[in-house]
Amino acid sequence: MGIKVVGLILNPALGEKIAPVAREIVRFLAGHGVKVLVLREHARLVGMEGVDRERMREAAEALFSLGGDGTLLSCVPVAAPAGIPVLGINLGRLGFLTELGPEELFSGLEQVLAGRYCTEERLLLWGGIRRAGATVREVVALNDCVVGRGALSRPCRLEVRVDGHCAMKYNGDGIIIATPTGSTAYSFSAGGPVVAPSVDAIILTPICAHSYMVRPMVVGGDAVVEVFLETSVAGFSLSVDGHENLPLLAGDWLTVRRYPRPLRLIRTKERSFYSVLRRKLLLHGIEECRQ
């Protein structure tokens, strides 16, 4: 049985650039007998009635993300609880996570609808904010959970524990708790290591720690990471895949661990992580490998 219901998630910031492509995709899918669901807030761009996230999660057999990596990241709250596979279609700049570009869009969709694809599993993180003994917010992330400060905030004091043991304690601008997928995002910019997505690990990257002895750390994928804000100031928050900013207060605990289900990315062709890394990040100074 092929895919019969697709949830289409768009990047509305691309506006009129994305609207004609989205409408063409809807027509293409409808011509192949596939029902398309669009989020209510994106419906105007496609000229359809929209649905909420809960309805899309219940009905969609696959999600098609139309935009860039940020758009694909926005699919995680819909896809993760139900284990829905996600196909990334790149109309943005980097497209590190996405699968299809404009030049191969419809041939790639033909493959997917014909069932000629595989799925690649990526580790997800669950995060929970605990305040005064109660969990006040839960989140799911594909790239990272970032405890950080606003532009005008002062540094704060953090204690980071791994499986109940104190691993770091420092003054600084925050910490990035990343998956291997997220190791090439903000963590990479902050000096963290690049970790292949096949590695079962969680990466801890301090942000501007006021000590040379506090360095990035890689822990096991089943580790439980806890961050305690000994001190905090206005502007400190938890950012989740760059899409949410949740205010944090002194005395808050952030617990991060593996989410029970991985994210499943639809792949239509064999991908080498290392060739994608070289091509997308444009790592200057590295000689081309022999074919």
Side-chain angles (χ1 to χ4, degrees), residues 17-135:
K17 175 183 176 182
I18 205 170
V21 181
R23 295 189 189 110
E24 200 170 348
I25 290 173
V26 170
R27 286 194 295 269
F28 177 87
L29 294 175
H32 285 73
V34 177
K35 181 178 179 180
V36 180
L37 304 175
V38 180
L39 290 177
R40 194 165 287 130
E41 57 266 37
H42 302 162
R44 178 187 60 82
L45 292 170
V46 190
M48 296 172 54
E49 288 191 16
V51 301
D52 59 23
R53 283 169 167 74
E54 185 174 345
R55 170 61 181 155
M56 185 174 283
R57 186 183 300 122
E58 290 172 351
E61 298 170 19
L63 297 183
F64 289 2
S65 159
L66 182 58
D69 285 346
T71 313
L72 192 149
L73 291 170
S74 73
C75 294
V76 171
V78 178
I84 304 170
V86 179
L87 173 69
I89 301 168
N90 185 36
L91 294 181
R93 291 173 297 174
L94 189 59
F96 197 90
L97 296 171
T98 53
E99 180 69 6
L100 301 178
E103 69 285 348
E104 57 192 352
L105 174 55
F106 293 104
S107 61
L109 291 179
E110 289 273 11
Q111 280 186 253
V112 172
L113 296 182
R116 298 194 303 274
Y117 68 90
C118 62
T119 58
E120 178 185 349
E121 294 188 348
R122 295 293 182 95
L123 183 148
L124 292 171
L125 297 177
W126 173 90
I129 301 172
R130 197 165 73 252
R131 182 174 296 158
T135 299

Side-chain angles (χ1 to χ4, degrees), residues 153-173:
S153 299
R154 299 187 307 275
C156 78
R157 186 158 182 81
L158 302 171
E159 179 180 328
V160 182
R161 298 183 180 180
V162 178
D163 293 334
H165 304 285
C166 183
M168 308 177 190
K169 195 169 185 178
Y170 61 94
N171 291 322
D173 289 355

Side-chain angles (χ1 to χ4, degrees), residues 91-276:
L91 294 181
R93 291 173 297 174
L94 189 59
F96 197 90
L97 296 171
T98 53
E99 180 69 6
L100 301 178
E103 69 285 348
E104 57 192 352
L105 174 55
F106 293 104
S107 61
L109 291 179
E110 289 273 11
Q111 280 186 253
V112 172
L113 296 182
R116 298 194 303 274
Y117 68 90
C118 62
T119 58
E120 178 185 349
E121 294 188 348
R122 295 293 182 95
L123 183 148
L124 292 171
L125 297 177
W126 173 90
I129 301 172
R130 197 165 73 252
R131 182 174 296 158
T135 299
V136 297
R137 188 63 187 271
E138 298 180 45
V139 297
V140 183
L142 172 60
N143 266 358
D144 47 41
C145 294
V146 179
V147 175
R149 68 185 184 97
L152 301 179
S153 299
R154 299 187 307 275
C156 78
R157 186 158 182 81
L158 302 171
E159 179 180 328
V160 182
R161 298 183 180 180
V162 178
D163 293 334
H165 304 285
C166 183
M168 308 177 190
K169 195 169 185 178
Y170 61 94
N171 291 322
D173 289 355
I175 188 168
I176 304 162
I177 305 169
T179 64
T181 300
S183 73
T184 53
Y186 186 15
S187 176
F188 178 82
S189 300
V194 173
V195 179
S198 57
V199 177
D200 189 25
I202 296 173
I203 300 98
L204 311 179
T205 306
I207 306 171
C208 298
H210 293 187
S211 170
Y212 286 116
M213 300 305 294
V214 177
R215 312 304 297 170
M217 182 180 298
V218 179
V219 300
D222 288 324
V224 177
V225 179
E226 297 172 290
V227 180
F228 176 61
L229 271 70
E230 286 193 9
T231 63
S232 185
V233 291
F236 251 88
S237 64
L238 169 65
S239 173
V240 183
D241 280 347
H243 282 281
E244 293 186 83
N245 277 292
L246 311 173
L248 295 173
L249 306 176
D252 283 356
W253 283 91
L254 170 66
T255 301
V256 177
R257 61 174 179 260
R258 181 200 300 272
Y259 188 73
R261 303 175 100 157
L263 183 71
R264 298 163 59 211
L265 296 177
I266 292 175
R267 300 303 191 200
T268 60
K269 52 187 175 294
E270 187 175 340
R271 293 164 59 95
S272 162
F273 167 72
Y274 303 101
S275 63
V276 172

